[in-house]
Amino acid sequence: MIVPGAHILWTGPHRAGLRRHRDRTLDQGEYALPVEEILTCVHGAYAWRRFHGGVELVTDTFGAAYFARQGLDALYDHLGTELDALDELDIDPLFYFAAGKCYAAALRPAPFAIFDTDLYLRRPLEGLDRGGFVFAHWESTGNAVYPPVAQVPNPSGVDLSRWIFDTPAANMAVSVFLDDRHRAEYARTALSFMRGNAGPAESAPIVRQTFAEQRVAPAVARTFGVDLRPVTERFWIVENEEWDGPSHADRFHHTWHQKRVLRDYPELRLAYWRYLIEDLLWSFPETYDLLLSTPALKEAAELIRRIRSELETTGPSVLSWRNA
């Protein structure tokens, strides 16, 4: 099924961090996506176009300039800077680092899909013609990340009583809105909850971001009788930080957990680059020239050349998911 897709790039968290720390030594430096995220971004855009149709980038002026400098604007059918408007809202970007996704959901009618820059599909999403709301996977609630609704800070008193909070949390690394009423009410409620809601609280800041995004969306769907369907039945048990259920490797690749590993073990980065480059060039060999021409991938250029040569002579060597 053809569904317009979008990458969302809001640089507000980066810019806010620089402003808040300008008098300290905590300078974050020039804005840049890491090599691994650029690789997944390219793969994600190509895969969505192959499976489901057009892809756009919804960003701000700062993000648009970065993508243009890298030549990555060529990935998209359209590049918009609507997220500039988020700077005028009372939404703390360091609390609500994914607010750009909620804001973008308010701008486009269903059917419309958002998928993270660190995720790419390996096959088409199934059952989109059935309507409803499709998301990556379920996550457990009743823990420090997803406490009971009554314990989530809500100083503005946004009315949450009308929504039915009786499901796990919906991981929205990919989220496909196929019901327009659900899309609009989710976006409205999430943004209302975020406004002016960044004061001190007993819970960790992540509680408010994950609530606004990943608990409100399924609650609104349940209230409206909209069918909720995860892409994979694989279930993330938050309190144990472990997976339960069948592998999702043949459906999509998401680097969220690998990012955490790489922060702790940076010596693994080259091996992970190899995996991502091989997967990308094996599936989309036409991306080779783009990868070599992207300034931010300069340190991986020799690896890109070597992997293409190896793929042409011996085929893939690290794509074990294909045999899973």
Side-chain angles (χ1 to χ4, degrees), residues 230-252:
V231 176
T232 172
E233 293 302 322
R234 196 163 173 81
F235 193 100
W236 180 246
I237 304 173
V238 174
E239 50 270 37
N240 297 338
E241 294 196 338
E242 64 183 20
W243 289 105
D244 183 41
S247 174
H248 61 266
D250 66 329
R251 297 170 186 254
F252 62 80

Side-chain angles (χ1 to χ4, degrees), residues 121-288:
L121 298 181
R122 283 177 166 149
R123 73 184 194 191
L125 300 177
E126 300 173 351
L128 299 186
D129 56 343
R130 292 162 45 196
F133 175 56
V134 176
F135 55 94
H137 58 81
W138 290 117
E139 300 190 353
S140 64
T141 58
N143 48 59
V145 176
Y146 298 108
V149 175
Q151 296 179 19
V152 178
N154 183 16
S156 299
V158 174
D159 184 12
L160 302 172
S161 63
R162 61 181 298 202
W163 309 124
I164 301 174
F165 291 91
D166 66 351
T167 72
N171 183 285
M172 293 171 63
V174 56
S175 47
V176 187
F177 299 95
L178 300 166
D179 181 288
D180 204 52
R181 185 184 181 198
H182 167 250
R183 174 204 59 80
E185 284 294 332
Y186 152 68
R188 182 192 64 78
T189 302
L191 291 169
S192 296
F193 175 83
M194 293 177 188
R195 290 190 181 99
N197 187 358
E202 292 184 3
S203 59
I206 189 65
V207 165
R208 281 173 268 191
Q209 167 59 57
T210 54
F211 177 83
E213 182 184 8
Q214 301 188 160
R215 295 224 63 193
V216 169
V220 173
R222 283 283 290 119
T223 305
F224 290 158
V226 172
D227 188 25
L228 284 159
R229 298 194 307 281
V231 176
T232 172
E233 293 302 322
R234 196 163 173 81
F235 193 100
W236 180 246
I237 304 173
V238 174
E239 50 270 37
N240 297 338
E241 294 196 338
E242 64 183 20
W243 289 105
D244 183 41
S247 174
H248 61 266
D250 66 329
R251 297 170 186 254
F252 62 80
H253 181 71
H254 187 203
T255 70
W256 178 256
H257 302 291
Q258 285 85 348
K259 287 178 182 177
R260 297 172 62 186
V261 172
L262 293 179
R263 282 196 294 269
D264 293 335
Y265 303 99
E267 65 272 18
L268 299 178
R269 183 161 271 112
L270 280 176
Y272 190 49
W273 291 359
R274 177 179 181 84
Y275 178 88
L276 293 175
I277 294 167
E278 184 172 299
D279 204 6
L280 175 56
L281 290 179
W282 186 246
S283 300
F284 299 99
E286 64 271 28
T287 62
Y288 176 74

